[in-house]
Amino acid sequence: MFATRLTLIFLLVCGSLNLSAQRYSKVSIRNARQPREMEQYHQLHIGIGVPTSVAARGDLWYTKPLTYVQGYAVLPPMQIGYTYGASKRLQFLFHGSFEQVAYNSFYDEKVDHHRSFASLALGANYRWFLRDALAFYSGFLVGGGGSFYQSSGTVSSDPAFKRNDYYYPVAQLTAFGVSWGKRFGGYTEVALGTRGVIFGGIYYRIFE
């Protein structure tokens, strides 16, 4: 349900940007190619990450088997963000993500425990290879996130469940990313950090 709403919001915003862009007929000619060195643009993106990448606290990862707990992904890492293209090669990013994990005690199946993880981060990308609609890039993100506990059913005294909410730093080093497409396209990233390993999605770009 959350992923469907996120996708609908992304498509509605893209439609609004498209209507605004039609006011600038002279600019629309440039949308058929990669931006020139000093051209600027606005970009919205939505994507997903694998594997699930919830943040750990005290070396406790909720997606891995514990003594009495088995965690599993309810909603994989969903991404939505805004990118400002300052030039042909330099991008500045504002990025948000959300995911949810459930975990159940092996001897208390009547209780449904969930943790939601939400984060916001700022960063930049440098596109070091450009060829027509293809770009290779590297970059980074830094920010923070929160982990929020929910449960349904009769909550037991099982000590394996950490019920308190907490906050944590977020960091990502994008070792390698590739994007394809001019005005509308897709991207894939291989990253190191607290948010996961492989990410991919689509974007929509409006040139100034």
Side-chain angles (χ1 to χ4, degrees):
M1 180 66 68
F2 180 85
T4 302
R5 292 179 180 176
L6 197 63
T7 303
L8 289 174
I9 292 172
F10 177 77
L11 293 175
L12 286 173
V13 173
C14 289
S16 299
L17 289 174
N18 188 39
L19 290 175
S20 299
Q22 291 178 359
R23 299 176 183 177
Y24 304 96
S25 58
K26 294 181 180 179
V27 178
S28 63
I29 298 175
R30 296 184 295 184
N31 290 342
R33 63 176 185 276
Q34 285 280 58
R36 293 195 300 267
E37 198 66 36
M38 297 306 296
E39 283 185 340
Q40 300 171 337
Y41 56 92
H42 306 275
Q43 177 178 302
L44 292 175
H45 69 267
I46 185 171
I48 191 171
V50 291
T52 183
S53 58
V54 296
R57 188 187 191 198
D59 295 327
L60 179 61
W61 289 77
Y62 291 97
T63 55
K64 294 184 178 181
L66 304 176
T67 305
Y68 299 107
V69 180
Q70 174 69 56
Y72 56 92
V74 176
L75 181 69
M78 301 297 297
Q79 305 177 331
I80 188 168
Y82 165 78
T83 299
Y84 174 67
S87 69
K88 188 176 181 179
R89 295 185 179 273
L90 184 61
Q91 299 176 324
F92 295 102
L93 297 84
F94 178 72
H95 184 93
S97 65
F98 180 86
E99 60 184 299
Q100 192 173 70
V101 169
Y103 48 101
N104 297 316
S105 171
F106 291 148
Y107 56 81
D108 188 2
E109 298 180 354
K110 296 181 180 180
V111 182
D112 186 13
H113 301 262
H114 284 77
R115 272 199 178 274
S116 298
F117 297 82
S119 66
L120 293 174
L122 298 172
N125 288 333
Y126 181 77
R127 306 200 302 171
W128 43 269
F129 175 85
L130 295 170
R131 180 70 58 84
D132 296 327
L134 181 69
F136 296 161
Y137 61 90
S138 300
F140 70 92
L141 286 167
V142 292
S147 175
F148 309 100
Y149 173 84
Q150 308 93 33
S151 66
S152 62
T154 303
V155 179
S156 70
S157 59
D158 187 348
F161 297 115
K162 307 297 183 181
R163 297 183 175 86
N164 55 314
D165 299 340
Y166 60 89
Y167 300 91
Y168 52 90
V170 171
Q172 173 182 308
L173 175 63
T174 304
F176 176 79
V178 56
S179 65
W180 58 93
K182 298 169 184 177
R183 186 172 182 179
F184 182 84
Y187 68 93
T188 300
E189 298 176 351
V190 177
L192 305 173
T194 59
R195 297 178 51 258
V197 180
I198 301 174
F199 299 91
I202 58 175
Y203 63 79
Y204 182 79
R205 184 177 295 165
I206 293 293
F207 294 97
E208 292 185 348

